[in-house]
Amino acid sequence: MHYMQVPSQVEYERATSVDHALSLLSRPDTRVVAGGHSLIPMMKLRLAQPEMLVDINGLAELAYIRLDGNQLRIGALARHADLLDSAVAGEHFPIFHDAERVVADPIVRLWGTVGGSLCQADPSEDLSAAFAAARATAVIRGQDGDRLVPVREFHRGPYETVIGRGELLAEVRVPVQPGTGSAYEKVARRVGDWSVAAAGAVLRLTGSRQNPVISSAGLGLTAVGAEHFVAAEAEAFLLGQTPGEESFARAGAIAAEHCHPVADQRGPEDYKRHLVAELTARALRRAAARAGTGASKSAGART
Ligand SMILES: Cc1cc2nc3c(=O)[nH]c(=O)nc-3n(C[C@H](O)[C@H](O)[C@H](O)COP(=O)(O)OP(=O)(O)OC[C@H]3O[C@@H](n4cnc5c(N)ncnc54)[C@H](O)[C@@H]3O)c2cc1C
């Protein structure tokens, strides 16, 4: 027997402007299509059955990555490949380059978007953890203007975000602070696969070079049931600590204790907890090496 996977009947409109997209999105059962790498497969499996798709691929005004004052601004339509190529993103947040190197494969990265990744709200999405670690803000646009939502409050749960009818994600803003280093560490079963577990760290060090102190810590986890992709207890522990093997190992242990992985085809629960402890410590080590040394482009970076 021959099976076909095809989406059910759907109307399609190509948005000609953000305002046009927003007015189309005010209709019921209407979804944005960006890269389509998650939505189209879900439609084929009938896990999503929108009545209308609004294609935003023509909206060049949503495709940018730039530094604006002390914020890195990433348009929702920036592709994974754009973020990986962005020198300004890599300079201030090597965590995004680390993460993008291990998101899917080059074909998916060429078309999949930053906005689509966050809005898909897959519990294994890499950028959700990276943006949570960086304490980014989502800019949600509606016909009445923009509202700003911390990325840490953006996901309501698996495959669900705070974006409402008539709205779209327009931009992600990341605060840039001096003395900050960041890194992302992921274990997958094979190249291009989703995470078994992954951890991202953004560390700010103050004090002297001889006596550095952790003055802010962001820790993101993916694929392990961390609430809002955040290792909050480990972050709280790190504040005021001396960066080093001891505090990083302790933070990893705390992160492992407080996440909620489930056993699945990617591995048993205790293995995932082990990975969280180890990957958190590794990400912290590399983030610290990159912090405040101007070496964010190279220290600890892999090629
Ligand atoms: C083979 C494969 C492997 C992958 N591996 C990984 C991986 O290892 N790690 C990882 O993190 N990701 C992985 N992905 C997912 C990848 O990151 C996709 O880019 C991402 O799922 C969705 O981006 P998209 O632009 O294709 O979104 P789409 O599929 O177009 O949309 C996804 C959802 O977001 C909504 N949406 C999109 N843009 C907006 C917007 N601006 N405003 C409001 N809603 C919006 C859509 O309506 C839809 O609900 C993989 C995907 C594939 C196909």
Side-chain angles (χ1 to χ4, degrees):
M1 203 183 292
H2 185 68
Y3 291 100
M4 278 204 313
Q5 283 185 347
V6 291
S8 57
Q9 186 71 26
V10 64
E11 275 186 69
Y12 170 90
E13 285 262 8
R14 199 168 162 82
T16 52
S17 67
V18 173
D19 283 343
H20 182 216
L22 292 175
S23 80
L24 293 168
L25 286 164
S26 63
R27 301 186 198 178
D29 291 322
T30 301
R31 295 276 279 268
V32 170
V33 62
H37 274 300
S38 295
L39 181 56
I40 303 299
M42 284 181 71
M43 288 172 62
K44 287 181 173 178
L45 294 169
R46 309 285 171 115
L47 294 171
Q49 297 199 45
E51 303 232 321
M52 178 189 271
L53 289 183
V54 178
D55 185 344
I56 61 168
N57 281 281
L59 305 184
E61 64 264 48
L62 293 180
Y64 54 87
I65 300 174
R66 61 170 176 262
L67 191 64
D68 190 357
N70 62 353
Q71 298 197 91
L72 182 68
R73 299 175 64 171
I74 304 171
L77 201 61
R79 312 281 170 184
H80 291 296
D82 297 330
L83 187 51
L84 185 52
D85 280 352
S86 165
V88 71
E91 180 182 343
H92 295 283
F93 287 100
I95 185 174
F96 297 142
H97 279 188
D98 290 350
E100 286 294 9
R101 275 189 205 103
V102 291
V103 166
D105 51 53
I107 296 168
V108 172
R109 292 201 294 260
L110 272 178
W111 206 239
T113 63
V114 169
S117 276
L118 278 175
C119 292
Q120 177 65 15
D122 187 304
S124 301
E125 210 79 49
D126 290 297
L127 289 186
S128 298
F131 282 122
R135 290 191 166 79
T137 299
V139 180
I140 299 174
R141 190 154 299 160
Q143 279 173 316
D144 297 333
D146 287 352
R147 62 189 179 102
L148 305 186
V149 176
V151 161
R152 290 171 172 223
E153 293 165 22
F154 181 77
H155 298 105
R156 297 181 110 137
Y159 310 103
E160 212 188 332
T161 72
V162 298
I163 293 186
R165 188 161 145 189
E167 294 183 322
L168 55 68
L169 178 65
E171 183 180 276
V172 185
R173 291 184 189 158
V174 199
V176 175
Q177 285 187 311
T180 300
S182 62
Y184 192 78
E185 294 276 351
K186 163 171 168 173
V187 166
R189 291 174 303 175
R190 59 183 92 80
V191 172
D193 199 357
W194 295 85
S195 294
V196 178
V202 178
L203 273 189
R204 183 158 192 237
L205 303 184
T206 49
S208 66
R209 197 167 275 269
Q210 288 74 29
N211 294 304
V213 174
I214 298 172
S215 58
S216 107
L219 285 175
L221 299 176
T222 202
V224 290
E227 211 176 322
H228 297 292
F229 298 90
V230 176
E233 295 82 2
E235 288 178 340
F237 160 76
L238 282 167
L239 278 187
Q241 296 285 330
T242 304
E245 287 308 311
E246 205 179 311
S247 56
F248 297 162
R250 183 80 194 110
I254 295 171
E257 187 188 332
H258 288 278
C259 65
H260 307 282
V262 290
D264 59 13
Q265 77 276 18
R266 294 195 164 82
E269 192 190 313
D270 57 350
Y271 172 55
K272 293 184 182 186
R273 280 192 202 277
H274 167 76
L275 285 181
V276 167
E278 182 58 33
L279 297 178
T280 299
R282 281 188 205 170
L284 284 166
R285 198 179 297 137
R286 288 174 71 213
R290 289 165 164 172
T293 59
S296 50
K297 287 161 250 176
S298 55
R302 290 180 190 152
T303 49

